[in-house]
Amino acid sequence: MPTALKNCARVSRNRQASRQLHLHLSAPLPPQQVVLSMPENKKQLICLVSSALIKEVSSRQQNGELRTKLILLSGEPCPIEVDKGLPVERDDMRTTHEEADLSIARFCMLFAENGLQTINVICDGTDVFVLLLHFYHVRSMSCKLLMQPTSPSRSLIDIGATANQYAAIIPHLMSAHVLSGCDTVAYMWGIGKGKVLKELAKGAEFKHFGVHGADTKAAVYEAAKFSVRLYGQEKATDMSQARHQVS
């Protein structure tokens, strides 16, 4: 997608590795940087892994070794569901959004709406964490939604319990997270997420920034006001003054 927010980052990655590979299952796996630095290589890898996984799960389901249903998002608009050995396209789950983080959150919402009582998301991403908290709160979800880390050194997060505990700041968390830095927005110099959460706990709110259809000037003013608070410059009248005082 030439207009994607992360396009600049992708262009930079492509400069680091320009060798397009011809991957197949019997070939040794190339270095991670070589594969992930080029979109064409990543697409090949996703296609290979997806095809092999669908084949393996179908075979094991047909043999009675596996009863678990698999729904796989393999880079195509329609996810593939494999159940009882038969792979079919789930057109009701079609998505053209390229961000996996949003797809994870969206599918969690769909599974919850279909009656699934326990959902376990295996992921370490902060963006996914914020998205899950946001939608759990907005949708008034009641299912058990867990975020399991990929490393045993990290703790399992109960999204529902966290959303209930911090219900006062959840409505403003998404805007604060985006403003202070995420996958598609540069991070603020010297400002960690702990500082952001402290400002929200003090009562910082977003009534315009991040709200669809809100007045642009009001949204910009709100964003600037929050930014100067993060740098301890509440008395600054604009970003230029705050920047001068910080430097």
Side-chain angles (χ1 to χ4, degrees), residues 166-192:
Y166 297 100
I169 69 171
I170 296 298
H172 315 289
L173 182 61
M174 181 81 77
S175 296
H177 176 60
V178 170
L179 182 61
S180 58
C182 61
D183 276 3
T184 52
V185 178
Y187 281 76
M188 291 183 174
W189 178 81
I191 301 297

Side-chain angles (χ1 to χ4, degrees), residues 32 38 46 48 69 73 75 95 97 131 145 149 160-161 182 187 227:
Q32 179 182 7
M38 286 197 68
I46 291 172
L48 282 173
K69 180 191 298 183
L73 185 62
T95 178
H97 203 290
L131 284 166
L145 179 58
C182 61
Y187 281 76
S227 298

Side-chain angles (χ1 to χ4, degrees), residues 111-229:
F111 295 149
E113 290 173 0
N114 289 330
L116 201 60
Q117 293 301 309
T118 302
I119 303 173
N120 189 17
V121 179
I122 303 175
C123 181
D124 296 315
T126 305
D127 285 6
V128 174
F129 174 63
V130 173
L131 284 166
L132 293 178
L133 285 175
H134 173 79
F135 285 112
Y136 197 97
H137 177 82
V138 170
R139 297 289 186 91
S140 300
M141 296 171 63
S142 58
C143 68
K144 193 171 186 62
L145 179 58
L146 304 173
M147 189 167 173
Q148 178 181 336
T150 59
S151 170
S153 63
R154 297 184 178 182
S155 302
L156 182 74
I157 300 174
D158 187 325
I159 296 297
T162 305
N164 292 332
Q165 182 178 354
Y166 297 100
I169 69 171
I170 296 298
H172 315 289
L173 182 61
M174 181 81 77
S175 296
H177 176 60
V178 170
L179 182 61
S180 58
C182 61
D183 276 3
T184 52
V185 178
Y187 281 76
M188 291 183 174
W189 178 81
I191 301 297
K193 292 301 179 181
K195 177 65 174 176
V196 174
L197 292 175
K198 287 180 181 178
E199 288 301 324
L200 290 177
K202 291 177 182 178
E205 295 181 334
F206 290 92
K207 297 180 179 180
H208 303 281
F209 182 79
V211 178
H212 181 69
D215 180 72
T216 302
K217 289 185 178 180
V220 171
Y221 174 79
E222 203 169 57
K225 183 178 179 181
F226 185 75
S227 298
V228 297
R229 286 184 61 170

